[in-house]
Amino acid sequence: MDEPARDAKAPGPRGSQRRGTTPLQSLRRSWDKHWYAWAMVAPVVIVIAVLVLYPLCYGLYLSFTNANERNVAQNIGPIHIGATYDFVGLHNYWQILSGRDGDFYPRLEWTVIWTVSCVALTYAIGLAMAMLLNRPVRFRLFYRLALILPWAVPAFIGVFAWRLMFNSQYGVFNDIITKVGLPAQDWLGTPFAQKIAVILVNIWCGVPFMMVALLGGLQAIPNELYEAAEMDGATPLQRFFNVTVPGLRPVTNTVILLSTVWTFNMFPIIYLLLGNNTTGDTDILVTHAYEMAFSGGAADYAGSATYGIVILMILVAFSTFYRRQLKTQD
C-alpha cells in the first residue's frame, strides 16, 4: 500500500521538467522551435498594436478624464503648453448612460433602427438576387459582374454619385419626376428624407457582399435535397423554408453578424452623403462621436472617447449574446 502511494505522489521526469521550467525558458524554447512562425506573425502583431491597441488604450484613458481642445497639450510656435485636464473617473460614463447629456439615447434609438432596417433589407434583397443568379439563365456571368460592381466601387465615389442624384436642382431623380409632370423634391432637405436616403445608399453598398456570400451558400446545398423534396410533393415555398433556409443557416449567421457590426459603425455613408447638411437627427452613435471630437466649439475629446468605448461594449455584448443564441439553437 505504501509503494503505490509513494509512486503516485512522486512526479515523473516530464512533470519534474515542467515544474522546473521558468516562463522565460519556455518562451526561449518556443522561439527556437517555431522561430519562423513568430517571425511571420510579428509584423501583423506590430501593425495591430500600433493601429488598434494603442488608440484603443489611449481612448480608454481619455474617457476617464475631462480632456477637451482647451486643456490638452499644445504647441503654439516654439511655445509648448502642457496638458491641464484632470482624471474624473466614471463621470463621463455616468453622464452618457444616465441620459444627462441628452444625446445618447436618441442617437442609440436611431442607430438601432438604422442597423435593423439596413441589415434586414440588405439580407432580403441579397438573398433574392442570389437565388435568381443561382438558376441557369442566359448572361448569368454578366449579371453577376454588374451586381458586384457597387461593391467594387470605392465607397466615397458611390456615395458622391448618389449625392449628385439626390441634388434638388440638377439631380437625376428630380429630372425624371419633372418630366412626367411631378414637382421637384428636396430629397435631402428634411430629417425623414435624409434617413430614407442614407438607408437606400447603405443597402445599395451592402447588397453585393450579401449576394455573393449567400450565392456561395446556395451553391453548397446539394441538389439531391431539392430533388427529394420535390419528389415528396413539396411546393416551392416549402422547399425554400425546409431546404434553402436550413442550408443557408451557417452563412446567414456569419453575414448577419458581420453586417450588423459594419452597419452599426457605418460612418462614411452618413457623413459623406449629408456632410454638415443635417440637424443631427440622422447622426448615429459613431458620427455623433466624430462631431463631438472634430466639429464646432471646444472639441470634447473625453466625451468622444467615452462614446467610442460605449459603442465597443454594445457591440461586444451583442456579439456575445448572438453567438450564445446560435449555440443554443444548434
Side-chain angles (χ1 to χ4, degrees):
M1 292 296 293
D2 294 340
E3 290 185 2
R6 194 183 311 114
D7 293 341
K9 294 180 181 179
R14 185 176 300 177
S16 61
Q17 185 178 2
R18 287 180 180 176
R19 293 181 180 178
T21 302
T22 63
L24 182 60
Q25 291 175 341
S26 300
L27 183 62
R28 185 176 303 173
R29 187 178 297 110
S30 177
W31 169 260
D32 294 337
K33 186 177 181 181
H34 306 290
W35 65 270
Y36 183 78
W38 283 96
M40 295 296 291
V41 172
V44 178
V45 174
I46 294 173
V47 170
I48 292 177
V50 173
L51 298 181
V52 178
L53 295 181
Y54 172 73
L56 179 62
C57 294
Y58 187 65
L60 180 63
Y61 165 72
L62 286 180
S63 68
F64 294 113
T65 67
N66 60 352
N68 56 47
E69 189 176 8
R70 296 191 181 97
N71 57 23
V72 296
Q74 308 179 52
N75 289 321
I76 304 177
I79 302 175
H80 175 74
I81 302 177
T84 57
Y85 56 80
D86 301 317
F87 184 82
V88 296
L90 298 176
H91 175 74
N92 294 325
Y93 294 95
W94 171 249
Q95 289 291 111
I96 291 176
L97 298 178
S98 64
R100 294 189 177 184
D101 68 335
D103 293 322
F104 176 73
Y105 287 105
R107 301 293 178 271
L108 177 61
E109 180 183 358
W110 162 235
T111 304
V112 173
I113 296 173
W114 145 268
T115 303
V116 173
S117 302
C118 290
V119 172
L121 292 173
T122 302
Y123 180 82
I125 297 174
L127 178 59
M129 290 184 174
M131 295 185 66
L132 289 175
L133 293 180
N134 195 40
R135 297 181 177 183
V137 296
R138 296 182 62 184
F139 307 111
R140 182 169 59 176
L141 179 60
F142 170 76
Y143 294 143
R144 289 182 180 181
L145 294 177
L147 293 173
I148 292 174
L149 185 62
W151 194 19
V153 174
F156 72 94
I157 295 178
V159 173
F160 282 141
W162 276 91
R163 189 170 181 174
L164 289 175
M165 291 190 290
F166 281 129
N167 188 278
S168 59
Q169 295 180 351
Y170 311 106
V172 65
F173 292 145
N174 276 343
D175 190 32
I176 293 174
I177 65 174
T178 52
K179 285 183 178 180
V180 297
L182 297 176
Q185 302 293 322
D186 189 3
W187 300 99
L188 301 177
T190 63
F192 180 76
Q194 291 175 351
K195 291 179 179 180
I196 298 299
V198 293
I199 290 176
L200 288 177
V201 176
N202 189 67
I203 291 173
W204 180 82
C205 292
V207 161
F209 164 77
M210 194 71 70
M211 180 193 67
V212 171
L214 294 175
L215 182 59
L218 288 173
Q219 293 177 346
I221 300 176
N223 290 327
E224 291 79 4
L225 297 178
Y226 290 102
E227 294 173 358
E230 189 174 1
M231 292 178 63
D232 291 338
T235 63
L237 191 62
Q238 290 174 332
R239 292 197 297 270
F240 174 76
F241 283 106
N242 293 290
V243 179
T244 304
V245 172
L248 285 178
R249 184 172 297 166
V251 178
T252 297
N253 295 339
T254 302
V255 295
I256 287 181
L257 178 60
L258 292 177
S259 183
T260 300
V261 174
W262 291 340
T263 306
F264 200 91
N265 281 327
M266 185 55 69
F267 171 82
I269 288 179
I270 294 178
Y271 185 78
L272 294 177
L273 184 64
L274 302 179
N276 295 324
N277 184 29
T278 175
T279 59
D281 295 328
T282 52
D283 282 336
I284 59 176
L285 290 176
V286 65
T287 56
H288 180 66
Y290 174 84
E291 295 289 338
M292 293 178 65
F294 298 103
S295 297
D300 187 2
Y301 299 136
S304 178
T306 307
Y307 264 84
I309 299 300
V310 171
I311 292 171
L312 176 62
M313 291 190 296
I314 292 174
L315 290 177
V316 169
F318 167 76
S319 301
T320 304
F321 173 78
Y322 182 77
R323 293 181 66 86
R324 286 184 178 178
Q325 289 297 113
L326 294 181
K327 289 182 179 180
T328 303
Q329 294 177 4
D330 292 341

